[in-house]
Short mmCIF file of all heavy atoms in Angstrom, two decimals:
data_model
loop_
_atom_site.label_atom_id
_atom_site.label_comp_id
_atom_site.label_asym_id
_atom_site.label_seq_id
_atom_site.Cartn_x
_atom_site.Cartn_y
_atom_site.Cartn_z
N GLY A 1 13.85 4.37 -5.22
CA GLY A 1 12.40 4.50 -5.29
C GLY A 1 11.78 4.97 -3.99
O GLY A 1 12.39 4.91 -2.92
N PRO A 2 10.53 5.44 -4.07
CA PRO A 2 9.85 5.98 -2.89
C PRO A 2 9.57 4.96 -1.80
O PRO A 2 9.49 5.33 -0.63
CB PRO A 2 8.55 6.56 -3.47
CG PRO A 2 8.35 5.85 -4.77
CD PRO A 2 9.72 5.57 -5.29
N SER A 3 9.43 3.70 -2.16
CA SER A 3 9.22 2.68 -1.12
C SER A 3 10.43 2.59 -0.21
O SER A 3 10.30 2.45 1.02
CB SER A 3 8.94 1.32 -1.77
OG SER A 3 7.74 1.35 -2.51
N ALA A 4 11.62 2.68 -0.80
CA ALA A 4 12.84 2.65 0.01
C ALA A 4 12.93 3.91 0.87
O ALA A 4 13.40 3.85 2.02
CB ALA A 4 14.07 2.53 -0.89
N VAL A 5 12.48 5.05 0.34
CA VAL A 5 12.51 6.30 1.11
C VAL A 5 11.67 6.16 2.38
O VAL A 5 12.14 6.46 3.48
CB VAL A 5 12.00 7.49 0.27
CG1 VAL A 5 11.84 8.74 1.14
CG2 VAL A 5 12.94 7.77 -0.89
N VAL A 6 10.43 5.69 2.24
CA VAL A 6 9.56 5.62 3.42
C VAL A 6 10.04 4.56 4.40
O VAL A 6 9.84 4.70 5.61
CB VAL A 6 8.08 5.40 3.02
CG1 VAL A 6 7.60 6.51 2.11
CG2 VAL A 6 7.86 4.04 2.39
N LYS A 7 10.71 3.51 3.90
CA LYS A 7 11.25 2.51 4.82
C LYS A 7 12.41 3.09 5.63
O LYS A 7 12.56 2.80 6.81
CB LYS A 7 11.69 1.27 4.05
CG LYS A 7 10.50 0.45 3.52
CD LYS A 7 10.93 -0.71 2.66
CE LYS A 7 11.53 -1.84 3.46
NZ LYS A 7 11.85 -3.01 2.61
N SER A 8 13.24 3.91 4.98
CA SER A 8 14.31 4.58 5.73
C SER A 8 13.73 5.52 6.78
O SER A 8 14.14 5.49 7.95
CB SER A 8 15.21 5.37 4.77
OG SER A 8 16.06 4.54 4.03
N LEU A 9 12.78 6.35 6.37
CA LEU A 9 12.19 7.32 7.30
C LEU A 9 11.41 6.63 8.41
O LEU A 9 11.34 7.13 9.54
CB LEU A 9 11.29 8.28 6.54
CG LEU A 9 11.88 9.59 6.01
CD1 LEU A 9 12.30 10.51 7.14
CD2 LEU A 9 13.05 9.34 5.09
N GLY A 10 10.84 5.46 8.10
CA GLY A 10 10.06 4.74 9.09
C GLY A 10 10.90 4.18 10.23
O GLY A 10 10.36 3.76 11.26
N LYS A 11 12.21 4.18 10.07
CA LYS A 11 13.10 3.69 11.14
C LYS A 11 13.32 4.73 12.22
O LYS A 11 13.84 4.41 13.28
CB LYS A 11 14.43 3.25 10.52
CG LYS A 11 14.30 2.08 9.55
CD LYS A 11 15.57 1.81 8.79
CE LYS A 11 15.35 0.77 7.70
NZ LYS A 11 16.54 0.53 6.85
N LEU A 12 12.96 5.99 11.95
CA LEU A 12 13.06 7.02 12.96
C LEU A 12 11.84 6.96 13.88
O LEU A 12 10.73 6.75 13.42
CB LEU A 12 13.10 8.41 12.30
CG LEU A 12 14.17 8.66 11.24
CD1 LEU A 12 13.97 10.05 10.63
CD2 LEU A 12 15.57 8.52 11.81
N ASP A 13 12.06 7.15 15.16
CA ASP A 13 10.94 7.18 16.11
C ASP A 13 10.34 8.57 16.07
O ASP A 13 10.65 9.44 16.91
CB ASP A 13 11.43 6.83 17.52
CG ASP A 13 10.29 6.74 18.52
OD1 ASP A 13 9.12 6.94 18.12
OD2 ASP A 13 10.56 6.52 19.72
N GLN A 14 9.46 8.80 15.12
CA GLN A 14 8.96 10.15 14.87
C GLN A 14 8.04 10.67 15.96
O GLN A 14 7.78 11.89 16.03
CB GLN A 14 8.30 10.20 13.49
CG GLN A 14 9.29 9.91 12.36
CD GLN A 14 8.71 10.11 10.98
OE1 GLN A 14 7.84 10.96 10.76
NE2 GLN A 14 9.19 9.33 10.01
N VAL A 15 7.56 9.81 16.83
CA VAL A 15 6.76 10.26 17.97
C VAL A 15 7.60 11.15 18.88
O VAL A 15 7.07 12.00 19.61
CB VAL A 15 6.18 9.06 18.73
CG1 VAL A 15 5.49 9.49 20.02
CG2 VAL A 15 5.17 8.32 17.85
N LYS A 16 8.92 11.01 18.83
CA LYS A 16 9.80 11.87 19.63
C LYS A 16 9.79 13.31 19.14
O LYS A 16 10.22 14.21 19.86
CB LYS A 16 11.24 11.34 19.58
CG LYS A 16 11.49 10.06 20.35
CD LYS A 16 12.96 9.68 20.26
CE LYS A 16 13.29 8.50 21.14
NZ LYS A 16 14.73 8.14 21.05
N SER A 17 9.34 13.53 17.92
CA SER A 17 9.38 14.87 17.34
C SER A 17 8.05 15.58 17.54
O SER A 17 7.08 15.00 18.01
CB SER A 17 9.69 14.78 15.84
OG SER A 17 8.53 14.40 15.12
N GLY A 18 8.03 16.85 17.12
CA GLY A 18 6.78 17.58 17.03
C GLY A 18 6.40 17.80 15.59
O GLY A 18 5.61 18.69 15.27
N GLY A 19 6.96 16.96 14.70
CA GLY A 19 6.67 17.07 13.28
C GLY A 19 7.90 16.77 12.45
O GLY A 19 9.02 17.15 12.79
N THR A 20 7.70 16.05 11.33
CA THR A 20 8.78 15.76 10.39
C THR A 20 8.27 16.05 8.98
O THR A 20 7.14 15.70 8.63
CB THR A 20 9.24 14.29 10.47
OG1 THR A 20 8.12 13.43 10.20
CG2 THR A 20 9.80 13.96 11.85
N LEU A 21 9.11 16.67 8.17
CA LEU A 21 8.76 17.03 6.80
C LEU A 21 9.40 16.05 5.82
O LEU A 21 10.60 15.79 5.90
CB LEU A 21 9.26 18.45 6.50
CG LEU A 21 9.20 18.91 5.05
CD1 LEU A 21 7.76 19.19 4.64
CD2 LEU A 21 10.06 20.14 4.82
N LEU A 22 8.61 15.52 4.88
CA LEU A 22 9.15 14.62 3.86
C LEU A 22 8.60 15.02 2.49
O LEU A 22 7.40 14.96 2.25
CB LEU A 22 8.78 13.16 4.15
CG LEU A 22 9.17 12.14 3.07
CD1 LEU A 22 10.66 12.20 2.75
CD2 LEU A 22 8.76 10.73 3.48
N ASN A 23 9.48 15.46 1.60
CA ASN A 23 9.14 15.81 0.22
C ASN A 23 9.46 14.67 -0.72
O ASN A 23 10.51 14.03 -0.60
CB ASN A 23 9.94 17.04 -0.22
CG ASN A 23 9.23 18.35 0.10
OD1 ASN A 23 8.09 18.55 -0.29
ND2 ASN A 23 9.90 19.22 0.83
N GLN A 24 8.57 14.45 -1.69
CA GLN A 24 8.83 13.50 -2.78
C GLN A 24 8.33 14.12 -4.08
O GLN A 24 7.34 14.86 -4.09
CB GLN A 24 8.09 12.17 -2.53
CG GLN A 24 8.70 11.33 -1.42
CD GLN A 24 9.95 10.59 -1.88
OE1 GLN A 24 9.90 9.53 -2.46
NE2 GLN A 24 11.10 11.21 -1.61
N ARG A 25 9.03 13.81 -5.19
CA ARG A 25 8.60 14.28 -6.51
C ARG A 25 8.43 13.09 -7.44
O ARG A 25 9.34 12.26 -7.56
CB ARG A 25 9.62 15.26 -7.11
CG ARG A 25 9.19 15.80 -8.49
CD ARG A 25 9.86 17.12 -8.82
NE ARG A 25 11.25 16.98 -9.23
CZ ARG A 25 11.64 16.85 -10.50
NH1 ARG A 25 10.75 16.80 -11.49
NH2 ARG A 25 12.92 16.76 -10.80
N PHE A 26 7.25 13.00 -8.06
CA PHE A 26 6.93 11.91 -8.98
C PHE A 26 6.79 12.46 -10.40
O PHE A 26 6.30 13.57 -10.60
CB PHE A 26 5.60 11.25 -8.60
CG PHE A 26 5.67 10.35 -7.40
CD1 PHE A 26 4.52 9.72 -6.93
CD2 PHE A 26 6.85 10.13 -6.72
CE1 PHE A 26 4.56 8.89 -5.84
CE2 PHE A 26 6.90 9.30 -5.61
CZ PHE A 26 5.75 8.68 -5.17
N LEU A 27 7.18 11.66 -11.36
CA LEU A 27 6.88 11.97 -12.75
C LEU A 27 5.40 11.71 -13.00
O LEU A 27 4.83 10.74 -12.47
CB LEU A 27 7.73 11.12 -13.69
CG LEU A 27 9.24 11.36 -13.66
CD1 LEU A 27 9.94 10.41 -14.62
CD2 LEU A 27 9.55 12.80 -14.03
N PRO A 28 4.72 12.53 -13.79
CA PRO A 28 3.30 12.30 -14.08
C PRO A 28 3.02 10.92 -14.67
O PRO A 28 1.94 10.36 -14.45
CB PRO A 28 2.96 13.41 -15.08
CG PRO A 28 3.93 14.50 -14.78
CD PRO A 28 5.20 13.80 -14.39
N SER A 29 3.99 10.37 -15.40
CA SER A 29 3.79 9.05 -16.01
C SER A 29 3.62 7.95 -14.96
O SER A 29 3.12 6.87 -15.27
CB SER A 29 4.99 8.70 -16.91
OG SER A 29 6.20 8.72 -16.17
N LEU A 30 4.03 8.23 -13.72
CA LEU A 30 3.91 7.24 -12.66
C LEU A 30 2.47 7.09 -12.17
O LEU A 30 2.14 6.11 -11.51
CB LEU A 30 4.84 7.61 -11.50
CG LEU A 30 5.04 6.60 -10.39
CD1 LEU A 30 5.60 5.29 -10.94
CD2 LEU A 30 5.98 7.15 -9.33
N LEU A 31 1.62 8.06 -12.50
CA LEU A 31 0.26 8.06 -11.96
C LEU A 31 -0.77 8.20 -13.08
O LEU A 31 -1.73 8.96 -12.98
CB LEU A 31 0.10 9.20 -10.95
CG LEU A 31 0.97 9.08 -9.69
CD1 LEU A 31 0.92 10.36 -8.89
CD2 LEU A 31 0.53 7.90 -8.84
N LYS A 32 -0.60 7.44 -14.15
CA LYS A 32 -1.49 7.53 -15.30
C LYS A 32 -2.80 6.76 -15.11
O LYS A 32 -3.83 7.12 -15.67
CB LYS A 32 -0.78 6.99 -16.54
CG LYS A 32 0.15 7.99 -17.21
CD LYS A 32 0.67 7.42 -18.53
CE LYS A 32 1.45 8.47 -19.31
NZ LYS A 32 1.93 7.94 -20.61
N HIS A 33 -2.77 5.68 -14.35
CA HIS A 33 -3.91 4.77 -14.29
C HIS A 33 -4.45 4.65 -12.87
O HIS A 33 -3.78 5.01 -11.90
CB HIS A 33 -3.48 3.38 -14.81
CG HIS A 33 -2.81 3.42 -16.14
ND1 HIS A 33 -3.47 3.74 -17.30
CD2 HIS A 33 -1.51 3.19 -16.50
CE1 HIS A 33 -2.63 3.70 -18.32
NE2 HIS A 33 -1.43 3.37 -17.86
N ASP A 34 -5.66 4.11 -12.78
CA ASP A 34 -6.29 3.96 -11.47
C ASP A 34 -5.45 3.09 -10.54
O ASP A 34 -5.36 3.36 -9.34
CB ASP A 34 -7.69 3.35 -11.63
CG ASP A 34 -8.68 4.33 -12.23
OD1 ASP A 34 -8.35 5.53 -12.28
OD2 ASP A 34 -9.76 3.88 -12.65
N GLU A 35 -4.85 2.04 -11.11
CA GLU A 35 -4.03 1.16 -10.26
C GLU A 35 -2.79 1.89 -9.73
O GLU A 35 -2.27 1.55 -8.66
CB GLU A 35 -3.62 -0.11 -11.01
CG GLU A 35 -2.88 0.12 -12.32
CD GLU A 35 -3.81 0.10 -13.52
OE1 GLU A 35 -4.98 0.50 -13.38
OE2 GLU A 35 -3.35 -0.34 -14.60
N ASP A 36 -2.34 2.91 -10.47
CA ASP A 36 -1.21 3.70 -9.99
C ASP A 36 -1.61 4.55 -8.79
O ASP A 36 -0.84 4.71 -7.84
CB ASP A 36 -0.68 4.61 -11.11
CG ASP A 36 -0.19 3.83 -12.31
OD1 ASP A 36 0.33 2.71 -12.12
OD2 ASP A 36 -0.31 4.34 -13.45
N ILE A 37 -2.82 5.09 -8.85
CA ILE A 37 -3.34 5.87 -7.72
C ILE A 37 -3.47 4.97 -6.49
O ILE A 37 -3.16 5.37 -5.36
CB ILE A 37 -4.70 6.51 -8.05
CG1 ILE A 37 -4.58 7.38 -9.30
CG2 ILE A 37 -5.21 7.32 -6.87
CD1 ILE A 37 -3.63 8.53 -9.18
N ALA A 38 -3.90 3.73 -6.70
CA ALA A 38 -4.00 2.77 -5.59
C ALA A 38 -2.63 2.48 -4.99
O ALA A 38 -2.49 2.34 -3.77
CB ALA A 38 -4.66 1.48 -6.08
N LYS A 39 -1.62 2.42 -5.85
CA LYS A 39 -0.26 2.19 -5.36
C LYS A 39 0.22 3.37 -4.52
O LYS A 39 0.88 3.20 -3.50
CB LYS A 39 0.70 1.96 -6.53
CG LYS A 39 0.52 0.64 -7.25
CD LYS A 39 1.48 0.52 -8.42
CE LYS A 39 1.28 -0.79 -9.18
NZ LYS A 39 2.19 -0.88 -10.36
N LEU A 40 -0.13 4.58 -4.96
CA LEU A 40 0.24 5.77 -4.19
C LEU A 40 -0.42 5.73 -2.81
O LEU A 40 0.22 6.03 -1.79
CB LEU A 40 -0.16 7.04 -4.94
CG LEU A 40 0.07 8.36 -4.21
CD1 LEU A 40 1.54 8.56 -3.91
CD2 LEU A 40 -0.49 9.53 -5.02
N ALA A 41 -1.70 5.37 -2.79
CA ALA A 41 -2.41 5.26 -1.51
C ALA A 41 -1.75 4.22 -0.61
O ALA A 41 -1.59 4.43 0.61
CB ALA A 41 -3.87 4.91 -1.75
N SER A 42 -1.34 3.11 -1.19
CA SER A 42 -0.67 2.07 -0.41
C SER A 42 0.67 2.56 0.13
O SER A 42 1.06 2.22 1.25
CB SER A 42 -0.44 0.82 -1.28
OG SER A 42 -1.67 0.23 -1.64
N LEU A 43 1.37 3.35 -0.67
CA LEU A 43 2.65 3.91 -0.22
C LEU A 43 2.44 4.79 1.01
O LEU A 43 3.16 4.68 2.01
CB LEU A 43 3.29 4.72 -1.34
CG LEU A 43 4.60 5.44 -0.99
CD1 LEU A 43 5.75 4.44 -0.91
CD2 LEU A 43 4.92 6.54 -2.00
N ILE A 44 1.43 5.65 0.94
CA ILE A 44 1.16 6.55 2.06
C ILE A 44 0.76 5.76 3.30
O ILE A 44 1.26 5.99 4.41
CB ILE A 44 0.07 7.57 1.69
CG1 ILE A 44 0.55 8.47 0.54
CG2 ILE A 44 -0.33 8.41 2.90
CD1 ILE A 44 -0.54 9.32 -0.08
N ARG A 45 -0.15 4.78 3.11
CA ARG A 45 -0.61 3.97 4.25
C ARG A 45 0.55 3.18 4.85
O ARG A 45 0.64 3.00 6.07
CB ARG A 45 -1.74 3.04 3.83
CG ARG A 45 -3.04 3.78 3.50
CD ARG A 45 -4.21 2.81 3.33
NE ARG A 45 -5.45 3.53 3.01
CZ ARG A 45 -5.95 3.62 1.79
NH1 ARG A 45 -5.34 3.02 0.77
NH2 ARG A 45 -7.06 4.28 1.57
N SER A 46 1.44 2.68 4.00
CA SER A 46 2.59 1.92 4.49
C SER A 46 3.51 2.81 5.33
O SER A 46 3.99 2.40 6.39
CB SER A 46 3.38 1.33 3.31
OG SER A 46 2.59 0.40 2.60
N TYR A 47 3.74 4.02 4.85
CA TYR A 47 4.59 4.94 5.61
C TYR A 47 3.97 5.26 6.96
O TYR A 47 4.65 5.29 7.99
CB TYR A 47 4.81 6.22 4.80
CG TYR A 47 5.72 7.22 5.47
CD1 TYR A 47 6.91 6.82 6.08
CD2 TYR A 47 5.40 8.58 5.50
CE1 TYR A 47 7.75 7.73 6.68
CE2 TYR A 47 6.23 9.50 6.10
CZ TYR A 47 7.41 9.07 6.70
OH TYR A 47 8.25 9.99 7.30
#
């Protein structure tokens, strides 16, 4: 899942870089409801 992805990437000291690229692909069914959008926002803020 994407939470595990951002936790793995969060272990890198990205301030050492001049930029890091991270792609993710979600199924549309994952974002059907307002609470799903809130979860997505939380995922981004957590990362």
Side-chain angles (χ1 to χ4, degrees):
S3 296
V5 172
V6 302
K7 288 175 74 176
S8 285
L9 268 294
K11 296 171 188 176
L12 305 175
D13 184 1
Q14 297 186 32
V15 173
K16 288 182 174 180
S17 78
T20 59
L21 170 73
L22 174 56
N23 271 305
Q24 288 282 276
R25 181 158 76 92
F26 285 178
L27 294 178
S29 59
L30 190 58
L31 296 170
K32 278 187 172 181
H33 308 291
D34 288 347
E35 56 265 32
D36 299 327
I37 303 299
K39 289 178 182 178
L40 176 62
S42 294
L43 177 75
I44 296 169
R45 291 191 180 101
S46 296
Y47 182 44

